[in-house]
């Protein structure tokens, strides 16, 4: 009997567990344990159990930013070189980068997520811009929104979603938030750089502009979605779930069908016109607990769950984008996701959040110093972040 | 009149023998409890002190490094610690002060009431029977913008109680008071019962007013009970965790010292700094207990049920 700790979903992972157990011909049975809703609470529970060497954790669904921390602590069982090929073959570049720690494959990309730029077709038409044109930047978007008296939905509440945005801007500008990550707490903050300044200029500039939604400093995914679907909505950066959610809102009577018909999508906007954007990356990796007493069966389960057919099945069933590129060619997937090609390209080119065992500290340092967005200034804010982050990593400041 | 108990005369030879046997017996009886205490209290305490001397992340075992008292210096010079300290102090002072006054009032009611005594006592004690986490949720839901009825009742419109520091603290303190006033009134009632009725009568015969009887007879005779009630409640309030955790998750500077310790140790698995915070929290608790015992000049070991 294997225990698989999953993040809550619509039951799709549970169904995969059943079908994999059935396909194993008695090789293993799977008991699915659901972790808390919130990603940081999922991490807390897993860390607590793994620190106590809990052997009941055979397989776990892990948020990519936590992979480095868990692997560094010795909580994850690295995959053999022989198995590695099965877990990496055909996997898009974005999720692949989050599966390694110190050149060892410690996790298997299962599904991946990314953000797109969502726009109202009527607004971009009136503004005379084309978000699908190569070279469409944040500045173009802010100018277009201002011109049409519309707002841009972003996630700028003091939480992980804000870090997702800041990181996407910094890496899209060709920089990184923190470098030399393998040095652990001696990693060097790189955010005080031209890329960090560019990100600060966009965030502070948008927050102080007419294109900022009134509740921008408290906005998460859902708040930006409802702003975007409202009368003032023009643009939004958000995960692909917003499209099916909008369709559900029509069924529920919340919005008119014309709103959904007016929604268009494009790749995440650029920071500089000459450099392709690196969209945010989310998703779930599967890892095998280091204290499991059934490593072979656990690896077999991971292999089954992350296989291409199951990637496709899960994408259609749960609505979460696959980690393997070939899944997007499947007719069922293309039908459910009319924007499948943009999602695949975005996931492939996505820029992951910093891969460091101190991710929590890095992310919280950024969130604390960049909030509220209206007070973000270049170069003051990135500079402050770099000092604060370095002090926090070195244990000279409390978070 | 109070019966004065004569202290035992200086030990004679035969009494010493008996006393020694009794003492040995006492030691043997308490030894198992002592051993258990050492295991469950002293060991974690010492381990926390040792950990606090390291820069140590549970998830970065290779980065473990001895820093001596460095963590204490970091904690004590950090604004986060002092903000949390002042928040904890505010909550403690306000809740305990109000609880003491209310607790007295309830204790008098429970003491003096003749009819429906058990009903009143039960009614007063109900909030104390509710688990703190549950009461925290009750208060959060009552004051929250979307689900709350408080704004509607008092015509406060869209006032967001959990939107800034002072209103959040107001709700937290209010729920603390609601929850633990019964506890303090119960302890005070126990003290009130112990005040000899003869003393009250004698004072009344001598022409003392109600205020004078309260000040000169009742309160002095309740000193030990008041101290126990205050000490218990102060320490309890000082270690407050549930209410801010449920209501605000520490936002708007409502984080308390226990919350800080929890966050460092559990969320950030930063065992070095976290242990330093825990040890400092423990020291503040010792200081509070010391101040109370010294301030009230009451020797608890002398407080017996012989009056």
């Amino acid at each position: 009997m294997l225990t698989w700790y999953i993040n809550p979903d619509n039951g799709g992972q549970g169904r995969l567990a059943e079908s994999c157990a059935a396909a194993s011909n008695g090789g293993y049975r799977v008991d699915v344990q659901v972790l808390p809703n919130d990603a940081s609470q999922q991490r807390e529970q897993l860390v607590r159990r793994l620190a106590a060497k809990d052997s009941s954790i055979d397989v776990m669904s892990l948020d990519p930013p936590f992979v480095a921390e868990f692997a560094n602590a010795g909580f994850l069982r690295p995959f053999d070189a022989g198995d590695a090929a099965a877990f990496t073959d055909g996997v898009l570049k974005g999720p692949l980068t989050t599966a390694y720690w110190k050149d060892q494959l410690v996790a298997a990309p299962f599904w991946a997520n990314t953000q797109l730029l969502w726009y109202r077709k009527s607004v971009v038409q009136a503004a005379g811009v084309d978000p699908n044109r190569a070279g469409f930047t944040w500045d173009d978007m802010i100018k277009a929104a201002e011109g049409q008296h519309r707002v841009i939905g972003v996630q700028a509440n003091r939480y992980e979603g804000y870090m997702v945005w800041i990181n996407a801007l910094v890496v899209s500008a060709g920089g990184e938030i923190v470098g030399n990550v393998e040095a652990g707490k001696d990693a060097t903050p790189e955010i005080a750089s031209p890329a960090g300044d560019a990100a600060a200029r966009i965030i502070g500039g948008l927050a102080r502009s007419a294109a900022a939604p009134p509740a921008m400093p408290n906005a998460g995914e859902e708040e930006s979605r409802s702003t975007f679907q409202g009368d003032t909505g023009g643009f939004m950066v958000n995960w692909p779930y917003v499209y099916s959610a909008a369709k559900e809102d029509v069924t529920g009577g919340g919005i008119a069908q014309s709103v959904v018909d007016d929604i268009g999508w494009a790749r995440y906007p650029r920071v500089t016109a000459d450099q392709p954007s690196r969209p945010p990356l989310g998703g779930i990796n599967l890892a095998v607990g280091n204290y499991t007493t059934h490593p072979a069966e656990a690896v077999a389960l991971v292999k089954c769950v992350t296989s291409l057919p199951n990637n496709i099945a899960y994408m259609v069933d749960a609505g979460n984008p696959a980690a393997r590129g070939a899944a997007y060619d499947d007719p069922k997937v293309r039908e459910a996701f009319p924007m499948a090609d943009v999602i695949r390209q975005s996931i492939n080119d996505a820029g992951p959040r910093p891969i460091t065992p101190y991710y929590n500290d890095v992310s919280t340092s950024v969130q604390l110093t960049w909030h509220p967005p209206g007070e973000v200034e270049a170069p003051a804010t990135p500079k402050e972040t770099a000092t604060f982050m370095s002090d926090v990593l070195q244990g000279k400041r409390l978070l | 009149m109070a019966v004065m108990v004569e202290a035992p005369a200086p030990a004679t030879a035969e009494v010493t023998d008996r006393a020694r046997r009794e003492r040995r017996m006492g030691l043997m009886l308490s030894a198992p409890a002592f051993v258990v205490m050492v295991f469950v209290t002293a060991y974690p305490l010492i381990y926390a002190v040792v950990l606090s001397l390291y820069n140590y992340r549970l998830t970065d075992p290779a980065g473990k490094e001895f820093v001596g008292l460095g963590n204490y210096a970091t904690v004590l010079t950090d604004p986060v610690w002092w903000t949390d300290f002042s928040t904890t102090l505010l909550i403690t002072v306000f809740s305990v002060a109000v609880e003491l006054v209310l607790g007295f009032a309830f204790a008098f009611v429970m003491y003096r009431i003749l009819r429906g005594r058990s009903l009143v006592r039960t009614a007063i004690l109900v909030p104390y029977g509710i688990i703190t986490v549950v009461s925290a949720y009750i208060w959060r839901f009552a004051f929250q913008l979307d689900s709350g009825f408080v704004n509607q009742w008092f015509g406060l419109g869209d006032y967001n109680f959990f939107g800034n520091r002072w209103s959040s603290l107001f709700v937290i303190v209010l729920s603390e008071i609601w929850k633990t006033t019964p506890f303090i009134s119960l302890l005070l009632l126990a003290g009130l019962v112990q005040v000899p009725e003869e003393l009250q009568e004698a004072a009344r015969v001598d022409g003392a007013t109600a205020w004078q009887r309260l000040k000169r007879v009742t309160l002095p005779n309740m000193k030990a009970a008041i101290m126990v009630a205050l000490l218990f409640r102060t320490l309890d309030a000082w270690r407050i965790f549930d209410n801010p955790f449920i209501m605000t998750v520490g936002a708007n500077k409502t984080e308390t010292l226990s919350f800080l310790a929890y966050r460092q140790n559990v969320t950030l698995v930063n065992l070095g700094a976290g242990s330093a915070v825990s040890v400092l929290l423990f020291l503040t608790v010792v200081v509070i207990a010391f101040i109370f015992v010294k301030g009230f000049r009451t020797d608890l070991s002398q407080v017996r049920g012989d009056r």
Side-chain angles (χ1 to χ4, degrees):
Chain A
M1 176 65 97
L2 295 173
T3 312
W4 177 13
Y5 282 81
I6 62 163
N7 59 307
D9 64 354
N10 68 348
Q13 291 180 86
R15 286 186 281 276
L16 282 186
E18 269 170 37
S19 72
C20 283
S24 77
N25 291 324
Y28 54 81
R29 283 175 301 139
V30 186
D31 173 33
V32 167
Q33 292 286 334
V34 184
L35 290 165
N37 251 323
D38 179 50
S40 45
Q41 285 175 352
Q42 292 166 19
R43 169 189 163 273
E44 238 176 75
Q45 185 170 142
L46 287 172
V47 165
R48 268 210 298 267
R49 285 165 177 271
L50 288 164
K53 302 193 170 25
D54 184 346
S55 64
S56 84
I57 301 185
D58 298 308
V59 176
M60 64 196 115
S61 294
L62 207 54
D63 226 0
F66 306 141
V67 170
E69 185 186 29
F70 279 45
N72 191 54
F75 293 165
L76 308 184
R77 194 188 157 86
F79 292 119
D80 295 343
D83 294 326
F87 295 128
T88 55
D89 203 27
V91 171
L92 297 167
K93 268 189 300 180
L96 205 53
T97 49
T98 66
Y100 287 90
W101 176 244
K102 295 193 170 165
D103 297 325
Q104 239 178 353
L105 189 74
V106 290
F110 168 33
W111 63 273
N113 212 351
T114 189
Q115 291 199 349
L116 303 184
L117 163 60
W118 305 89
Y119 58 86
R120 299 286 284 263
K121 291 177 194 160
S122 55
V123 175
V124 301
Q125 202 173 16
V129 292
D130 176 14
N132 281 299
R133 165 181 65 88
F136 187 72
T137 64
W138 277 88
D139 290 334
D140 295 337
M141 177 163 70
I142 294 170
K143 218 164 82 187
E146 277 183 322
Q148 298 301 310
H149 306 291
R150 295 299 184 109
V151 296
I152 299 171
V154 289
Q155 293 86 50
N157 197 358
R158 212 178 81 181
Y159 79 127
E160 184 59 24
Y162 191 29
M163 172 68 177
V164 167
W165 184 26
I166 298 168
N167 183 68
L169 292 178
V170 174
V171 295
S172 289
E176 56 182 350
I177 286 180
V178 60
N180 189 22
V181 287
E182 296 206 348
K185 58 181 188 267
D186 296 318
T188 33
E190 302 277 356
I191 193 167
S193 61
D197 292 349
R201 255 195 304 276
I202 289 173
I203 290 177
L206 171 60
R208 291 185 288 271
S209 82
M216 179 171 155
N218 302 107
E221 280 86 354
E222 277 301 281
E223 289 81 2
S224 20
R225 186 168 80 83
S226 91
T227 307
F228 176 70
Q229 290 178 182
D231 294 339
T232 56
F235 299 88
M236 165 174 73
V237 285
N238 215 328
W239 310 97
Y241 87 94
V242 297
Y243 189 66
S244 49
K247 285 200 281 196
E248 276 167 32
D249 282 352
V250 175
T251 325
I255 55 171
Q257 178 63 37
S258 60
V259 176
V260 175
D261 296 339
D262 195 30
I263 295 177
W265 52 83
R267 186 184 164 126
Y268 205 77
R270 298 180 179 206
V271 170
T272 50
D274 54 350
Q275 212 171 359
S277 64
R278 301 200 60 198
L281 182 69
I284 287 291
N285 291 343
L286 293 191
V288 174
N290 208 6
Y291 310 107
T292 171
T293 45
H294 315 287
E297 290 86 354
V299 170
L301 172 64
V302 175
K303 241 180 227 171
C304 172
V305 170
T306 59
S307 69
L308 178 62
N310 280 334
N311 255 208
I312 294 168
Y314 188 69
M315 187 165 178
V316 175
D317 178 16
N320 289 322
R324 290 183 199 262
Y328 296 81
D329 295 324
D330 188 88
K332 288 192 299 286
V333 167
R334 298 191 79 83
E335 191 194 322
F337 292 85
M339 66 294 289
D341 286 328
V342 188
I343 294 178
R344 170 164 52 188
Q345 194 62 46
S346 293
I347 290 175
N348 198 46
D349 300 347
R353 282 162 276 170
I355 296 169
T356 152
Y358 283 82
Y359 178 73
N360 232 326
D361 297 56
V362 168
S363 172
T364 314
S365 305
V366 173
Q367 291 167 39
L368 288 177
T369 45
W370 285 57
H371 202 267
E375 284 168 25
V376 171
E377 298 270 5
T381 306
K383 233 186 224 162
E384 187 196 342
T385 312
T387 320
F388 181 60
M389 192 189 295
S390 158
D391 283 350
V392 165
L393 289 174
Q394 295 288 332
K396 292 179 195 153
R397 288 286 302 268
L398 291 178
L399 262 183
Chain B
M1 269 305 291
V3 183
M4 295 299 291
V5 178
E6 198 68 31
T12 53
E14 56 269 53
V15 179
T16 318
D17 253 6
R18 192 181 159 195
R20 202 179 291 140
R21 277 202 307 274
E22 277 190 352
R23 203 177 301 144
R24 208 168 38 227
M25 177 83 164
L27 282 176
M28 275 161 61
L29 285 175
S30 56
F34 180 76
V35 171
V36 171
M37 278 293 280
V38 166
F39 265 106
V40 300
T41 314
Y43 171 72
L45 205 68
I46 293 165
Y47 188 48
V49 172
V50 173
L51 276 179
S52 72
L53 304 177
Y54 286 87
N55 203 342
Y56 176 39
R57 269 319 156 106
L58 196 57
T59 50
D60 187 11
K64 189 170 174 178
E65 173 187 14
F66 184 79
V67 290
L69 296 176
N71 283 327
Y72 291 95
T74 305
V75 172
L76 290 174
T77 52
D78 202 285
V80 173
W81 164 268
W82 291 110
T83 311
D84 291 7
F85 189 91
S86 70
T87 305
T88 315
L89 191 67
L90 276 171
I91 295 174
T92 307
V93 169
F94 279 102
S95 60
V96 174
V98 176
E99 278 172 31
L100 188 64
V101 176
L102 279 181
F104 250 115
F106 285 151
F108 273 116
V109 170
M110 288 196 277
Y111 184 51
R112 290 284 173 216
I113 196 163
L114 293 175
R115 247 183 281 174
R117 179 180 278 194
S118 57
L119 188 73
V120 169
R121 287 190 182 180
T122 313
I124 288 176
L125 289 177
V126 161
Y128 193 62
I130 295 176
I131 299 159
T132 318
V133 175
V134 175
S135 99
Y137 271 113
I138 295 172
W139 284 79
R140 190 183 101 182
F141 291 141
F143 280 85
Q144 209 163 260
L145 259 185
D146 45 6
S147 60
F149 54 83
V150 172
N151 281 5
Q152 212 182 332
W153 278 9
F154 297 98
L156 294 172
D158 277 347
Y159 185 74
N160 186 2
F161 273 97
F162 298 116
N164 71 70
R165 186 184 193 196
W166 300 114
S167 54
S168 307
L169 285 180
F170 172 75
V171 182
I172 289 170
V173 169
L174 209 59
S175 79
E176 276 285 294
I177 292 169
W178 178 79
K179 171 92 182 69
T180 43
T181 300
F183 172 72
I184 222 167
S185 60
L186 204 62
L187 291 180
L188 292 176
L189 177 66
L192 211 52
V193 176
Q194 283 190 16
V195 179
E197 200 50 41
E198 304 89 30
L199 280 185
Q200 301 278 18
E201 264 167 38
R204 211 174 287 136
V205 169
D206 288 345
T209 61
W211 173 245
Q212 280 170 329
R213 285 203 306 276
L214 175 71
K215 219 174 113 183
R216 298 279 165 84
V217 180
T218 311
L219 289 183
N221 275 291
M222 288 177 66
K223 211 161 108 178
I226 296 174
M227 195 204 79
V228 169
L230 273 184
L231 176 64
F232 278 19
R233 260 312 292 151
T234 306
L235 291 183
D236 235 19
W238 188 253
R239 293 177 291 122
I240 178 173
F241 176 81
D242 323 41
N243 274 328
F245 186 78
I246 301 294
M247 292 189 199
T248 59
V249 206
N252 303 318
K253 297 190 180 168
T254 55
E255 187 175 271
T256 61
L257 292 179
S258 305
F259 200 157
L260 178 67
Y262 164 84
R263 230 164 32 77
Q264 298 300 321
N265 282 314
V266 179
T267 307
L268 296 166
V269 287
N270 188 357
L271 300 188
S275 299
V277 171
S278 306
V279 170
L280 286 170
L281 184 61
F282 170 73
L283 291 180
T284 57
V285 167
V286 172
V287 167
I288 291 173
F290 182 78
I291 290 173
F292 267 94
V293 175
K294 282 286 158 196
F296 271 78
R297 290 197 204 89
T298 305
D299 185 355
L300 281 180
S301 64
Q302 295 302 309
V303 180
R304 296 178 181 197
D306 49 5
R307 283 216 274 190

